[in-house]
Amino acid sequence: MSGWIIIIGSFSTYWRSVATGTRKGLPGRLLVLALSPLALAYACIQATRSTLYQKRILKARRLPRPVISVGNITVGGTGKTPATAMIARLLIARGMKVAVLSRGYGGAMEGQTAIVADGAAIRLDAGQCGDEPYLLAATVPGLMVVMGADRYRAGMLAMAELSPDVFLLDDGFQHLRLQRDLNVLLVDCAHPFGNGRTLPAGLLREPRRAVQRADLIIHTRCPQGFSPAPLAGKPSCSARHRLGAAVPLAGGPLLSFAALRGRKVLAFAGIGEPEPFFRELDSLGLDVVRAIPFPDHAAYTPDQVAGLTAAFRACGAEYAVTTEKDGVKLRRIAPEFARQVLLARLEFVLDEPAVLTGLLSNLLQK
């Protein structure tokens, strides 16, 4: 494994443990203290920006169809893409034509406005549009996906060429330039606000009081049966992530994780929160002999794939297991390694779905 990958991955893991508040030793506290002036300046900028939009000094634009935003207030994974897919399926099941507006982060065409999928065919690959838009297009039948840094422009492109009934704004909580009709905020059940500080000293993208903008708060990664305490008096519900099945990267029938119990695996992931994914594999009975975290949206360059292949051979694993989001960027790896790679299908299980479905019904009846 290349040394720089280990260094980046190790520092990212260390910083995240400090930012979530789980690491409380002196070095971590000194790191937070050193970064606090930058965090304070960042918080002031974000709070001022939000106030300017709230007072309509900065103008937000409106699309001609309802807009549902799904986002979070912290960096890293809270399940935005699985939640967006879940809501898209609910709307499509009601006969709606749904268009997701995505930033297209990490793709070669990032910054451009383009149609990723038109509901019948996928027009761009993951390298062009980024992993999350491609994953949504590939796993939700009938879903339209349009990428663009300016979501209003992306929405108008969708209106002109696809004529959707409703828009879903993926990772849209801070995209205040576009008006939304339902604002869904995801917070991680284990550490909803991290150490309570904004970037770069903590996880928060903006000060905690921004939760007031939410219409619904979904607490993600909750233990089954967990009832979260209300936040800011907002309607809320809980959700869990569940690994449903393993998809062979090289093709073939799905495998159940029950069938993989006791098998030696190398786990790797380039997602916002890789550690819970590794723990979930372990809890399902897989023998995780090595776990390798990559930065979120890792591109899997030839050097990274070569390092993974070498690590897989060295650790004696029978399979390498990663997420479907990572899998969309592994289509060109060598066939002999691809045959050993399994993609874990992540399911977003919403407890008390009536809270969300009721809000959707109210919105769509207007």
Side-chain angles (χ1 to χ4, degrees), residues 159-246:
M159 284 302 304
E161 298 199 18
L162 305 175
S163 189
D165 300 314
V166 61
F167 290 103
L168 267 175
L169 196 57
D170 185 22
D171 195 10
F173 198 70
Q174 284 77 36
H175 194 80
L176 302 178
R177 287 182 290 170
L178 184 64
Q179 292 188 24
R180 68 284 318 272
D181 301 280
L182 182 63
N183 217 6
V184 179
L185 175 65
L186 309 182
V187 295
D188 189 287
C189 179
H191 38 77
F193 304 107
N195 61 8
R197 297 173 184 268
T198 54
L199 292 167
L203 295 178
L204 287 169
R205 290 173 159 186
E206 54 184 323
R208 176 174 170 168
R209 61 180 176 273
V211 298
Q212 293 289 347
R213 298 201 308 268
D215 299 307
L216 170 66
I217 297 175
I218 299 178
H219 300 257
T220 64
R221 295 202 181 90
C222 295
Q224 192 164 9
F226 177 81
S227 297
L231 288 174
K234 300 293 182 179
S236 64
C237 57
S238 59
R240 292 172 284 116
H241 290 163
R242 181 174 63 196
L243 298 182

Side-chain angles (χ1 to χ4, degrees), residues 7-20:
I7 292 171
I8 291 174
S10 298
F11 179 77
S12 176
T13 301
Y14 178 78
W15 174 84
R16 191 161 187 88
S17 68
V18 171
T20 56

